[in-house]
């Protein structure tokens, strides 16, 4: 094999040895081991330490911006509107101005509280939704362990302990049939259905809650019977 660089050669050798770094552990250590040096065996790309530090700092800076940006912008816009209103209504009653100022102060307080609730909810949702996606990693780990158990208890045992000179291939065929049935029923059917349901749940709950509101109109399929029934109801109402 020819390699374009030493990094490509080291990456290929590490992949063949099976000691390639884990992306999941890299994402966890990005927050839990902030600023610490990354071992060479866990290094995915050059400059990984500094890029991860920048990403964590940007994520933390976005929290106060998310909390304060919208209320400050809306408060600035309302202050401009208030200045214009006061310039146009210089002869208005003082009580009306006091009531207006109290209403605007209460609106600003409600806006800050509302934005704080949304910020806390979003931050908690990011953590919980990201952690919830680890269930797919747990499913893949369980699938790997079940595959190893089925191989060790059936085919591996049959290949290593059967006597080929005494017709052991017949018993090996039976062992293979047992292994094939378990593989199809447990690994393919049950594990596939479990992974599908978990992925569907993650897509609907963790992913869709970012923008799904549940608004709209109830779906009514096209039906001639409903059209005729509505026309009959209209005729009865008109006759009355």
């Amino acid at each position: 094999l020819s390699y374009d660089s030493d990094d490509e050669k080291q990456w290929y050798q590490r992949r063949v040895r099976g000691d390639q770094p884990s992306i999941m552990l890299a994402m966890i250590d990005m927050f839990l081991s902030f600023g610490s040096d990354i071992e060479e065996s866990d290094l995915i790309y050059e400059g990984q330490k500094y890029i991860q530090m920048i990403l964590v700092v940007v994520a933390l800076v976005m929290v106060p911006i998310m909390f304060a940006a919208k209320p400050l912008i809306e408060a600035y816009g309302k202050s401009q509107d208030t200045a214009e209103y006061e310039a146009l209504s210089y002869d208005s009653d003082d009580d009306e101005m006091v009531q207006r100022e109290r209403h605007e102060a209460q609106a600003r307080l409600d806006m800050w509280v509302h934005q704080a609730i949304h910020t806390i909810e979003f931050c908690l949702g990011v953590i919980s939704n990201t952690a919830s996606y680890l269930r797919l990693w747990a499913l893949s780990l369980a699938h790997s362990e079940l595959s190893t158990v089925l191989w060790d208890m059936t085919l591996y045992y049959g290949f290593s302990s059967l006597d080929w000179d005494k017709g052991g291939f017949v018993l090996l065929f039976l062992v293979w049939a047992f292994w094939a049935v378990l593989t199809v029923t447990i690994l393919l059917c049950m594990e596939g259905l479990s992974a599908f349901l978990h992925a569907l749940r993650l897509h609907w709950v963790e992913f869709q809650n970012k923008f799904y509101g549940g608004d709209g109109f109830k779906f009514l399929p096209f039906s001639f019977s409903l059209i005729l029934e509505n026309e009959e109801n209209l005729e009865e109402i008109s006759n009355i």
Side-chain angles (χ1 to χ4, degrees):
L1 294 176
S2 59
Y3 306 98
D4 296 334
S5 62
D6 294 336
D7 294 336
E8 183 179 350
K9 181 178 180 180
Q10 293 178 1
W11 179 86
Y12 179 77
Q13 291 176 351
R14 288 165 58 184
R15 185 172 181 84
V16 171
R17 292 195 305 266
D19 58 350
Q20 60 267 22
S22 174
I23 297 179
M24 184 187 67
L25 296 179
M27 294 181 64
I28 295 175
D29 293 337
M30 181 169 61
F31 292 92
L32 299 182
S33 302
F34 178 78
S36 61
D37 295 331
I38 302 175
E39 297 182 0
E40 186 178 358
S41 59
D42 297 330
L43 194 64
I44 301 177
Y45 52 88
E46 294 295 333
Q48 179 179 348
K49 172 185 174 181
Y50 302 102
I51 293 178
Q52 289 182 353
M53 292 175 62
I54 293 173
L55 292 177
V56 172
V57 171
V58 170
L60 294 178
V61 170
M62 287 296 107
V63 175
I65 294 177
M66 187 189 309
F67 169 67
K70 181 179 178 181
L72 290 177
I73 293 174
E74 293 191 2
Y76 177 77
K78 289 184 178 180
S79 65
Q80 298 294 326
D81 296 338
T82 302
E84 294 178 0
Y85 176 79
E86 292 177 353
L88 295 175
S89 57
Y90 57 90
D91 57 346
S92 60
D93 193 2
D94 293 338
D95 294 336
E96 181 181 353
M97 295 297 297
V98 171
Q99 293 295 331
R100 179 180 175 86
E101 291 178 357
R102 289 179 179 177
H103 178 73
E104 291 179 353
Q106 184 65 33
R108 287 194 295 268
L109 179 61
D110 294 340
M111 185 189 309
W112 282 101
V113 173
H114 184 75
Q115 193 66 20
I117 294 174
H118 274 283
T119 303
I120 296 173
E121 183 182 4
F122 180 82
C123 295
L124 294 178
V126 168
I127 298 173
S128 62
N129 293 343
T130 304
S132 185
Y133 271 86
L134 294 178
R135 69 181 68 224
L136 296 179
W137 168 77
L139 288 174
S140 64
L141 180 61
H143 184 83
S144 175
E145 293 299 324
L146 283 174
S147 302
T148 304
V149 169
L150 288 178
W151 172 259
D152 293 339
M153 299 299 293
T154 55
L155 280 182
Y156 179 78
Y157 177 78
F159 281 123
S160 59
S161 61
L162 294 181
D163 190 356
W164 297 94
D165 297 333
K166 298 180 179 180
F169 61 89
V170 177
L171 183 58
L172 178 62
F173 177 78
L174 297 177
V175 171
W176 174 86
F178 180 69
W179 171 82
V181 171
L182 292 180
T183 300
V184 172
T185 55
I186 297 178
L187 294 182
L188 296 182
C189 295
M190 294 180 60
E191 289 288 322
L193 180 61
S194 177
F196 168 75
L197 293 177
H198 280 285
L200 184 63
R201 186 257 182 195
L202 289 170
H203 178 73
W204 182 253
V205 178
E206 276 76 9
F207 182 72
Q208 292 279 24
N209 64 0
K210 295 188 296 183
F211 41 77
Y212 177 73
D215 300 329
F217 301 95
K218 181 180 179 181
F219 173 72
L220 294 176
F222 182 79
S223 175
F224 287 105
S225 59
L226 292 176
I227 296 175
L228 295 175
E229 183 178 354
N230 293 331
E231 290 181 355
E232 291 177 358
N233 295 331
L234 291 176
E235 291 178 357
E236 293 177 359
I237 295 174
S238 61
N239 293 331
I240 294 175

